Every structure is written in structure tokens, then in C-alpha cells.
Amino acid sequence: MYLQRIDLSVIKREGYWDEAALDICEKESGRLQEARWIGSDLYRQMYAASRYSALAKAVLPIRQMGGIIDEHRMLQLTRLEYQTDAHTGRITGMASKNNGYCFYEEMEPDSLFLEEYARTVIEAFGRKGLDNVYVHQFRMYIDFHNISYIRRQYEGSCDIKKLKAYAKAAKRPLDYSSSSRLHNRKLRKDLGKYERQMNDKVKSKNGLSEFIIRMRKDQYGIAGQFVTQWDYLRLDQKTGRIDSDPKNYTIEEYKPIVETESFNYCRNDRVRVNGMTKLHTLLDVKPANSQTGYENDLKKEGKKYWAADKVYKEKYR
């Protein structure tokens, strides 16, 4: 990774850090670049030391990566640039522009920072529910980091084998216990007809990072692949941002876009924090309902065609 000379004033100006966080950074003057790697050890120390409110800390990494909501209600991180596959044009990775803020390349799906960030979101929104479109949609970029990390760092003939290689190397067993109903969508005209489960949900040990696995080959790909919106979202070559216009996607492409994984701010509703309950529903489930106004137009359009059916039986565990 290319390093440039930077000083504390640049870290403060570009990172919106408060003085408490900068005090930590000043003591580590030889590692200033790490302050821009979201999830690195130094970034975690600064994040923990910051005296900002939980709400301010929840939006801090989004601000650092230039978060805006575009005309189609999608969160765009404008200080990032994306790598694409030369043959398929699919987005394969993300990096910072001009050596700025981006996720730390070595941050694991079970990382301490992602746990700490989730706890910050619980503190900020756990009593009233998640009502911030930036924080809700930020999950899709955490997802992309996790998927890219597994695909880049581990060997295997398909995504599930790479994911299992990660779990073995990290000594963190995967969680196969969650229902995959919301990730097995059907055209609305087929609701009520039983169909065999196609996709399975697998979560990290801490229950926060999740991966959707295609269990049988179909028109979308081979068995063992991740089912993810990031294999179908495209780059707008003029702006360098994610193409968020629903008109530029087909009904068939909407299916994996709405079946995609989703980072969880709380692993399940059994978790209680300072008297707060039903946190998974309040922070992860309700904001993803198309009626709440926190989903982007692409997801809302896709859910008009593809719905989760109550007629569903979990086959894979």
C-alpha cells in the first residue's frame, strides 16, 4: 500500500476527529497512515478514545469516506474508487482515493472493530430503532468488504470453500443456525407455491457478518457461490459511483440484489444491552422494510417483484 507523508493537521481535517482521538494519534506519529485505515489497530484506539456521542461515532466512518445519499436514495461513498473485472465489468474491490480513508484491507469479518461499531450503533439507536439512512445503508459496504476479503485472502474452488478456509485459519467456527427465508425470494405470482430452498445463510461466529450461499447450480451461477448484490451492481463510468438507477437493471438482476447478505448490528433478538431488547428487529429488520424509507430505490424496486414467502422450509443447517 502506497504511503505518503501526512501530519496531524491533515488527519484532523480529513477525518473529523476530536482532540481526544488526536491525542492517541499524536503518540503514534510514526503510524499516521493507519489512522485512515478503518478497522486498523490505531483507528480502533482513536475511535474508542473519541468523546463524540454514539450517534456522531456511528456516522464518523461514513463521513470519512465521503458518504452522501444520491438521487436514487443510495448511500454513495464518494472518497472511494472501485476495481472492476476486465472481462465481466463486475465490481471486485474498493480502495481510497488519494490515499484517504477506506476499510483496512486486513480487517476480518469477525474483527473487533466491527463488533465495536455495532455496539456503537446499539448505543445510538437501540432505544428508538435505527432511523438513519446513512447508518442503515452503510451495512452494504461492510458486506462488500467482507466478501472481498474472503475472496481475496483465501484459496478454494468456490466461495463457501474460501469461507470455510477463513473459519479454519481464524479458529472461529461459522454459524449455520439462522433461517434463510428472506434470502430465498420468489416472483410474487408464485407466492404460496412450495419451492425447494436454493440459498443458505451462514454467519460469522459473532453473528454480525453474514454470507448467503447458493446451494444448487441455477441460472445465476454454480453451487457454493456467494449470492450478493455486489456481483450485479455496476459502476457508472462517468461518475465512478455505483449505478443506483433501477431502470438500468433487469427483473432477473433484482433477485440477487434483494436476496443479498446484510451485516447485522445485533446478532438476534435474545441479546439484551442495558435493558434494551429486540435489538435485531429494531436495528436490522425494520429499517430494511421498503415502507420505512431507508432502503434505496433499487432495493425497493426489486422487492416489488421478488418477495419472501411464508410457505418455506429450511433444508440446510
Side-chain angles (χ1 to χ4, degrees):
M1 185 175 291
Y2 169 71
L3 302 181
Q4 65 178 17
R5 292 188 59 133
I6 53 177
D7 58 36
L8 206 60
S9 64
V10 174
I11 296 294
K12 180 178 182 179
R13 183 179 69 251
E14 295 182 356
Y16 311 104
W17 293 106
D18 63 6
E19 294 302 324
L22 290 171
D23 285 344
I24 299 295
C25 193
E26 189 171 19
K27 295 174 184 177
E28 302 288 346
S29 58
R31 301 165 57 200
L32 288 184
Q33 180 60 44
E34 288 184 44
R36 294 170 162 177
W37 299 346
I38 296 170
S40 70
D41 183 60
L42 178 56
Y43 186 97
R44 284 184 54 234
Q45 292 179 50
M46 294 173 66
Y47 194 80
S50 170
R51 297 194 180 98
Y52 284 146
S53 68
L55 174 58
K57 291 177 76 170
V59 300
L60 180 62
I62 304 171
R63 292 186 67 198
Q64 290 168 336
M65 289 189 278
I68 64 167
I69 301 298
D70 71 11
E71 65 272 26
H72 297 293
R73 296 285 295 170
M74 179 180 281
L75 174 64
Q76 301 278 359
L77 300 182
T78 62
R79 293 181 182 174
L80 298 185
E81 57 186 13
Y82 300 91
Q83 296 94 35
T84 57
D85 184 278
H87 301 290
T88 66
R90 286 182 172 178
I91 302 171
T92 58
M94 55 185 168
S96 64
K97 289 181 182 177
N98 302 318
N99 213 29
Y101 283 81
C102 190
F103 291 111
Y104 179 41
E105 286 187 354
E106 304 301 318
M107 182 173 69
E108 300 178 348
D110 271 302
S111 72
L112 288 173
F113 175 72
L114 291 179
E115 293 181 359
E116 292 158 359
Y117 182 74
R119 285 198 294 270
T120 300
V121 173
I122 289 174
E123 184 180 347
F125 301 101
R127 298 196 183 280
K128 62 179 180 177
L130 179 52
D131 59 358
N132 185 294
V133 65
Y134 290 86
V135 177
H136 167 60
Q137 293 195 30
F138 187 49
R139 298 190 290 171
M140 66 185 277
Y141 291 96
I142 299 176
D143 294 335
F144 187 35
H145 167 79
N146 287 340
I147 289 165
S148 300
Y149 175 86
I150 296 298
R151 286 175 166 173
R152 181 180 66 250
Q153 296 279 22
Y154 293 92
E155 297 293 328
S157 59
C158 61
D159 292 331
I160 185 60
K161 291 186 177 181
K162 293 180 180 181
L163 183 60
K164 287 183 176 182
Y166 158 70
K168 182 178 180 180
K171 297 181 180 180
R172 297 187 181 112
L174 299 168
D175 178 356
Y176 297 89
S177 64
S178 296
S179 169
S180 309
R181 185 179 71 87
L182 295 177
H183 305 278
N184 285 268
R185 301 271 173 158
K186 297 194 293 188
L187 288 170
R188 291 190 178 274
K189 66 181 180 64
D190 294 327
L191 292 178
K193 304 174 185 176
Y194 173 74
E195 293 181 6
R196 188 178 171 192
Q197 179 186 356
M198 176 63 71
N199 305 323
D200 195 34
K201 180 192 293 187
V202 180
K203 297 197 294 188
S204 56
K205 183 181 179 181
N206 62 19
L208 302 181
S209 297
E210 69 179 36
F211 305 86
I212 310 305
I213 311 298
R214 180 177 296 107
M215 301 302 289
R216 293 179 290 129
K217 181 180 179 180
D218 65 5
Q219 68 189 80
Y220 292 95
I222 63 171
Q225 272 188 334
F226 291 144
V227 178
T228 173
Q229 64 183 327
W230 288 101
D231 283 345
Y232 291 87
L233 294 176
R234 289 187 285 273
L235 201 62
D236 184 324
Q237 297 297 333
K238 293 181 179 179
T239 65
R241 299 177 183 177
I242 306 302
D243 184 351
S244 60
D245 189 342
K247 296 194 301 294
N248 295 333
Y249 295 84
T250 66
I251 293 176
E252 287 72 25
E253 288 172 325
Y254 289 152
K255 186 174 189 286
I257 288 173
V258 299
E259 287 182 329
T260 193
E261 72 294 316
S262 181
F263 182 81
N264 297 298
Y265 290 132
C266 187
R267 65 181 302 154
N268 57 51
D269 275 345
R270 296 188 297 275
V271 175
R272 298 173 67 94
V273 179
N274 298 328
M276 293 180 283
T277 61
K278 298 184 177 179
L279 292 169
H280 178 55
T281 295
L282 289 171
L283 303 177
D284 302 316
V285 179
K286 285 188 174 180
N289 187 307
S290 295
Q291 306 305 313
T292 61
Y294 305 125
E295 287 280 66
N296 58 60
D297 292 349
L298 183 56
K299 282 279 191 73
K300 289 174 66 176
E301 187 68 16
K303 290 176 181 179
K304 291 179 182 178
Y305 297 93
W306 299 95
D309 200 342
K310 293 180 180 179
V311 179
Y312 174 77
K313 182 178 180 180
E314 192 81 14
K315 173 181 174 62
Y316 302 104
R317 288 292 184 185

